[in-house]
Amino acid sequence: MSRISKIYFFLFFALPFALAAQKQNITLSGQVMNARDKSPLAFVNIILKKKVDSSFVTGTVANEQGRFVLNAVPAGNYIVEYQTVGFEKLSKSILIGSLSAFLDLGVTELIATTNTLQEVVVNSSKQNDLNNAMDKKTYSLANNISQTGGSVLQALKNLPGITSGQDGKVALRGSDKVAILIDGRQTALTGFNSQSGLENLPASAIEKIEIINNPSAKFDANGAAGIINIIFKKNKQEGFNGKVGLTTGLGALWQKKENLPEIRPQYQRTPKINPSLSLNYRKKKINAFFQGDWLYTETLNKNEFVTRTYQDGTVINQQTKRNRNTHFLTSKAGLDWNISENDQFSVSALYGTEKIMDRGDEPFFNKDLSNRLRLWQFLEDELKTTIMASVNYVHKFSQPGHQLNIGYNYTFHREDEKYFFENKMPTYIGLDSFKLLSDEHVSDFNLDYTKPLSYGHIEAGVKFRYRNIPTNMTFKPGINSPLDTGAGGQATYSEVIPAAYTNYVFENEKIEAEAGVRVEYVNLKYKVNPNHNTYKSDGYNYTEPFPNIRLAYKFNEQSKISLFYTRRVDRPNEVDIRIFPKYDDAEIIKVGNPGLKPQFTNSIELGYKTSYNKGFFYAAAYRKNTKATITRIATQVPPSTLIYNVFQNAGNSSNTGVEFIWQNSFSNVFSLNANLNIYQNIIEAFSVVNKYPVPSLYTAAQDKLTSGNFKLNGTFKLSPNSELQVASIYLAPDLIPQGKVGSRYSLDIGFKKQLRDKKTELLINASDLLNTMRVKREIKGAGFTLVSNDYYETQVFRIGLTHKF
């Protein structure tokens, strides 16, 4: 074993850190009346005690309408007592579970008597309030020291069940069909039907991240693998307060692999700068907030070495090197106005701008690198602008948790992209370019209703979405241009989606149940330039139900077993069906497919969780069956050696696996979190026709592979004000269409220290400390094989300082 490997395995097993799950308390409410005349009883004492030992937990007094509220009650078994002068004392046993934030005890009637109230002895006792719900896991980014100062994509990779790659997407349990939400909503920043932008969204703007493997009917139906909800920071402390921070760093300190001959140098010692500012003002009925973040990075975004071997013996070696400069500014501001105790009005706006400059080199050589066949160099100048405005009104009925929510959200997203190419051939040099302009308009209206019950709650709502995306691609060919100018022009994507849902949650001492259904109608149209040389206008529509069911049995207050069933859909995004070829790779060309249809997935999961004083253990077995699987298929049209990657519905697939999470605090100094995920991906036999540039049939037999990932994370509390954290990740070889991706592993480490005033914090971290992360792919097509190794930048060292005021 090498010295580096020994260091890695020592750190892997010796220095891990834990990501803490968020805890939840319950609000309990009800009303007290006179049994004789049904009139409200004021000033009744309501006392909550533990059932096991009758120790006091909390108490309150009913108001003039006989209504009462008990806040911040942990889950558990209790006795609630009603006591007042002139009425008999009444006791009830109640169960407070973890599925509903609000519970309603309904109306309680007291019988008049001449007895007087006995003296109440008050004792306090600390209650363990660990949230045992298994449908959602919540992680605070403040605890993720090893990735602070980077992007959301980098922060996500350390969370249980999540993996990430250089394509800017994350996968849950081996599938990238994940719906990404910001503050519970889909936005253009992170994509509506598929993911985007996670590698450039600053983690400094984020408070916490929720992972939802089995979403309820309340959520949009897309995202077969699950939902990741990114929650922005929003302080609600009284008065004026805020937080300012600056993190800076360097990446690519050492080359993983040298360039092929005669191209421009790859980026090294790449700077990273991330200033952030958070402001909040709260007084009486008004709460105003602002969050601003700027992330500047220089990155070796891609450094991929590819060998293509063709059936006739031709071998082509190429390198794709992409030096990237990114400026990403995101700012969010808003105002919450508590009009009255029962009515709240909120308005917020988000503005984001992303400037990307890519300078790329692609040399193409023969088998032994003795002859350069071609040099393709490009400059990409891309500006993305996102504007989002939200208005929300909440009416709270007299019963706590009984509310009506009405909201409207508008999103505008512009993609302004220019490419300039220099095509250096042995006998000539060609200069080519193209421009793409895309404007996305999305309007969402939603109405949601929630009512607590004695043993759970009901919720229902409607949503309407209108989305319109006109695009235009203009080619400017040079001499002997390789650009397909006949594949340009205008195209317009439009969709209308009305949906309605209802969901019911029930919980008693032993049983939990949740059942709901979402009915969604989709009408999508894609209007294509009639002069396009390959594609015609297309679209689809459907009306489909998307049910969800959860049944759980509680062995005791600490342990439960749950069974989940969900049905989800993944619709093609606009970029998946774009008719325009993309030339950031000159000979492996990506193209959309307007004939692409949605894929539907049925999921079933059996989960078990047990909690104890120092942590918890979680286990789950799951299976997902998908019809009309969406993926890219690579084909060749001989005698050309060009390869075309086109999105297709490639038949049926399945994902079957098990997941384990173990978290334990061994002492006040050291805690540990381990996550193991093992799954088998199967892609059934299928045949598809890639229409672009000419029809090409591809047929594949069944393919399957068992894969997984292992994460060991932990924290050392070195002193009351300082912590050391380490995250270790191993990703096993995995199945991809037409091939597989190789194993990967990395080690991240972070240190933070609170300074004397405890308002200032120093941070030092390193991602991919050993510089081991790379992506190897092997693809077998009809008449060719492709082997690639991407040595893109993953190692970054950062130092940062934040101050609260």
Side-chain angles (χ1 to χ4, degrees):
M1 183 179 291
S2 68
R3 183 180 178 184
I4 290 180
S5 296
K6 289 179 180 178
I7 294 172
Y8 174 76
F9 279 104
F10 171 77
L11 291 172
F12 190 94
F13 288 103
L15 299 175
F17 82 90
L19 295 168
Q22 187 185 38
K23 301 176 181 180
Q24 177 178 330
N25 291 324
I26 310 302
T27 297
L28 198 65
S29 65
Q31 188 178 21
V32 188
M33 288 187 175
N34 189 325
R36 180 176 57 82
D37 58 8
K38 312 302 181 185
S39 62
L41 284 179
F43 312 117
V44 176
N45 292 280
I46 292 91
I47 302 166
L48 192 68
K49 298 180 179 180
K50 290 183 183 179
K51 189 173 183 179
V52 64
D53 58 8
S54 297
S55 60
F56 176 84
V57 176
T58 187
T60 189
V61 178
N63 64 16
E64 293 181 355
Q65 288 78 42
R67 297 190 178 276
F68 64 90
V69 178
L70 295 171
N71 293 305
V73 181
N77 286 288
Y78 298 94
I79 295 173
V80 59
E81 294 182 353
Y82 302 84
Q83 302 178 3
T84 189
V85 175
F87 289 83
E88 293 183 3
K89 182 175 77 171
L90 179 65
S91 298
K92 288 183 178 180
S93 295
I94 63 168
L95 166 74
I96 297 179
S98 56
L99 300 183
S100 302
F102 297 89
L103 290 177
D104 178 30
L105 296 180
V107 175
T108 299
E109 297 181 351
L110 299 185
I111 301 173
T113 182
T114 57
N115 295 336
T116 58
L117 181 66
Q118 301 297 314
E119 179 183 6
V120 178
V121 179
V122 178
N123 297 305
S124 63
S125 171
K126 190 173 181 179
Q127 179 81 5
N128 182 1
D129 59 355
L130 177 66
N131 185 355
N132 287 322
M134 287 187 283
D135 58 344
K136 180 172 68 176
K137 310 176 189 73
T138 306
Y139 300 93
S140 169
L141 287 197
N143 297 321
N144 194 357
I145 305 172
S146 62
Q147 291 297 336
T148 301
S151 69
V152 169
L153 179 67
Q154 293 164 336
L156 283 169
K157 74 174 188 178
N158 288 336
L159 302 186
I162 297 180
T163 56
S164 65
Q166 86 280 23
D167 59 355
K169 293 186 176 182
V170 295
L172 267 175
R173 295 174 172 176
S175 172
D176 66 357
K177 302 304 180 186
V178 181
I180 307 292
L181 312 183
I182 292 182
D183 293 333
R185 299 185 180 94
Q186 293 182 340
T187 74
L189 277 179
T190 53
F192 279 94
N193 291 337
S194 64
Q195 313 171 38
S196 64
L198 292 176
E199 72 273 30
N200 293 318
L201 186 62
S204 57
I206 309 305
E207 178 183 353
K208 58 187 177 182
I209 292 174
E210 297 175 339
I211 301 173
I212 307 171
N213 292 112
N214 299 280
S216 73
K218 185 175 182 178
F219 293 95
D220 289 336
N222 63 302
I227 289 173
I228 295 176
N229 185 24
I230 299 170
I231 299 175
F232 268 67
K233 292 177 179 177
K234 184 179 178 182
N235 202 335
K236 290 188 176 182
Q237 291 179 325
E238 193 71 24
F240 178 76
N241 52 83
K243 184 177 182 180
V244 61
L246 174 64
T247 303
T248 185
L250 288 175
L253 298 184
W254 299 276
Q255 283 191 6
K256 291 183 180 180
K257 186 174 178 63
E258 294 182 354
N259 286 338
L260 293 180
E262 303 176 32
I263 67 171
R264 293 171 292 187
Q266 57 185 262
Y267 268 178
Q268 281 190 269
R269 293 175 292 279
T270 52
K272 323 288 180 183
I273 304 172
N274 177 210
S276 62
L277 175 65
S278 176
L279 300 173
N280 192 84
Y281 177 75
R282 183 180 185 185
K283 188 173 182 180
K284 296 182 179 179
K285 295 184 176 183
I286 298 296
N287 181 66
F289 59 91
F290 170 82
Q291 174 70 39
D293 296 82
W294 179 60
L295 180 63
Y296 171 75
T297 63
E298 294 179 11
T299 311
L300 180 59
N301 178 260
K302 195 178 188 70
N303 192 27
E304 185 177 26
F305 294 78
V306 176
T307 299
R308 288 177 278 146
T309 304
Y310 293 86
Q311 204 167 34
D312 63 1
T314 301
V315 176
I316 298 177
N317 287 297
Q318 71 177 79
Q319 177 189 0
T320 303
K321 184 220 68 186
R322 189 159 61 214
N323 293 333
R324 172 169 289 184
N325 290 32
T326 304
H327 300 257
F328 191 94
L329 171 68
T330 177
S331 58
K332 184 178 182 181
L335 181 73
D336 300 326
W337 176 28
N338 295 307
I339 304 171
S340 67
E341 290 186 0
N342 296 330
D343 298 281
Q344 183 186 69
F345 178 78
S346 300
V347 59
S348 65
L350 182 147
Y351 173 78
T353 178
E354 180 182 3
K355 178 70 172 178
I356 300 174
M357 295 289 288
D358 280 343
R359 293 171 176 86
D361 295 78
E362 272 197 326
F364 298 86
F365 287 85
N366 62 351
K367 182 177 182 179
D368 61 3
L369 303 179
S370 61
N371 181 27
R372 194 185 78 186
L373 309 173
R374 178 186 196 181
L375 176 59
W376 180 258
Q377 295 180 311
F378 64 86
L379 169 66
E380 179 188 6
D381 182 353
E382 184 176 9
L383 178 64
K384 296 181 180 180
T385 304
T386 302
I387 300 172
M388 187 173 73
S390 300
V391 178
N392 199 68
Y393 168 74
V394 177
H395 174 70
K396 299 177 180 179
F397 298 90
S398 56
Q399 175 192 9
H402 185 195
Q403 65 181 39
L404 178 69
N405 186 311
I406 302 174
Y408 173 76
N409 188 74
Y410 170 76
T411 300
F412 169 78
H413 179 72
R414 167 165 287 183
E415 183 181 347
D416 188 350
E417 186 177 343
K418 306 180 188 71
Y419 268 93
F420 303 91
F421 304 103
E422 189 171 359
N423 185 26
K424 295 182 178 180
M425 301 295 288
T427 58
Y428 67 89
I429 297 177
L431 300 177
D432 305 88
S433 66
F434 70 74
K435 175 181 173 62
L436 172 67
L437 183 65
S438 170
D439 284 344
E440 181 173 11
H441 305 267
V442 185
S443 291
D444 283 332
F445 169 81
N446 66 279
L447 185 150
D448 300 282
Y449 174 79
T450 305
K451 180 175 175 56
L453 304 172
S454 299
Y455 295 96
H457 66 273
I458 57 171
E459 53 190 9
V462 295
K463 181 176 180 179
F464 179 84
R465 168 174 292 170
Y466 173 72
R467 188 169 176 225
N468 187 65
I469 312 174
T471 59
N472 189 21
M473 171 75 85
T474 304
F475 289 106
K476 293 185 178 180
I479 61 170
N480 300 320
S481 175
L483 304 184
D484 184 1
T485 57
Q490 296 180 341
T492 301
Y493 174 107
S494 63
E495 65 179 2
V496 175
I497 308 177
Y501 75 90
T502 184
N503 202 46
Y504 171 68
V505 177
F506 169 83
E507 183 175 14
N508 65 21
E509 188 171 350
K510 287 294 183 181
I511 300 296
E512 295 175 358
E514 179 177 1
V517 64
R518 186 181 190 90
V519 178
E520 182 180 81
Y521 169 74
V522 172
N523 186 1
L524 184 142
K525 296 179 181 178
Y526 191 60
K527 186 177 180 181
V528 173
N529 165 27
N531 297 320
H532 194 278
N533 57 22
T534 303
Y535 291 128
K536 303 299 180 185
S537 299
D538 212 324
Y540 58 84
N541 63 79
Y542 66 77
T543 302
E544 293 282 348
F546 298 97
N548 69 278
I549 299 172
R550 176 177 180 260
L551 299 173
Y553 177 78
K554 292 181 281 190
F555 299 100
N556 49 50
E557 292 185 7
Q558 288 75 39
S559 302
K560 71 170 70 171
I561 188 169
S562 294
L563 180 67
F564 299 87
Y565 167 77
T566 58
R567 183 174 188 257
R568 310 284 290 171
V569 62
D570 287 285
R571 300 183 298 273
N573 200 18
E574 186 268 335
V575 294
D576 300 338
I577 65 177
R578 277 185 184 171
I579 58 176
F580 319 119
K582 191 172 183 181
Y583 292 98
D584 53 353
D585 190 311
E587 298 192 2
I588 305 175
I589 301 169
K590 294 179 180 178
V591 189
N593 177 7
L596 207 59
K597 299 298 186 285
Q599 67 172 38
F600 294 87
T601 301
N602 289 282
S603 303
I604 188 168
E605 177 175 333
L606 181 66
Y608 171 77
K609 183 174 182 179
T610 183
S611 302
Y612 50 94
N613 289 336
K614 294 184 177 181
F616 68 88
F617 174 75
Y618 166 85
Y622 56 87
R623 180 176 175 85
K624 298 179 182 291
N625 292 318
T626 300
K627 293 184 178 180
T629 306
I630 297 174
T631 188
R632 285 192 184 273
I633 298 297
T635 58
Q636 172 204 7
V637 183
S640 171
T641 57
L642 298 183
I643 293 174
Y644 295 92
N645 266 326
V646 182
F647 274 113
Q648 294 285 356
N649 291 109
N652 300 334
S653 63
S654 65
N655 172 253
T656 306
V658 292
E659 181 179 19
F660 304 96
I661 300 176
W662 176 56
Q663 180 171 302
N664 190 73
S665 296
F666 291 92
S667 67
N668 294 331
V669 175
F670 177 66
S671 61
L672 174 70
N673 177 285
N675 172 221
L676 175 64
N677 203 341
I678 302 173
Y679 54 84
Q680 183 182 70
N681 281 330
I682 299 177
I683 301 176
E684 301 293 346
F686 66 91
S687 294
V688 295
V689 175
N690 273 359
K691 292 184 178 180
Y692 186 87
V694 295
S696 177
L697 176 67
Y698 177 79
T699 300
Q702 185 196 69
D703 201 1
K704 61 182 178 181
L705 183 71
T706 299
S707 182
N709 52 77
F710 178 62
K711 300 180 182 182
L712 196 59
N713 307 323
T715 181
F716 282 101
K717 198 164 185 65
L718 304 180
S719 71
N721 298 323
S722 61
E723 292 182 8
L724 175 70
Q725 295 184 343
V726 172
S728 304
I729 302 172
Y730 171 76
L731 309 177
D734 206 350
L735 186 67
I736 58 176
Q738 299 177 277
K740 66 177 182 178
V741 60
S743 62
R744 293 152 284 164
Y745 64 96
S746 68
L747 178 71
D748 301 336
I749 189 167
F751 170 80
K752 73 175 180 180
K753 180 177 177 60
Q754 291 182 334
L755 303 184
R756 292 182 179 180
D757 59 2
K758 293 189 177 181
K759 292 185 177 182
T760 304
E761 190 171 82
L762 172 68
L763 170 82
I764 302 173
N765 65 29
S767 59
D768 194 15
L769 181 65
L770 305 180
N771 211 20
T772 52
M773 181 66 76
R774 69 182 176 110
V775 177
K776 180 179 181 180
R777 293 183 302 135
E778 297 178 5
I779 291 177
K780 293 183 179 180
F784 73 92
T785 60
L786 182 152
V787 177
S788 74
N789 285 275
D790 194 347
Y791 300 88
Y792 66 108
E793 176 190 316
T794 54
Q795 185 185 68
V796 180
F797 295 86
R798 300 184 184 89
I799 183 169
L801 200 67
T802 61
H803 177 71
K804 296 179 181 179
F805 56 88

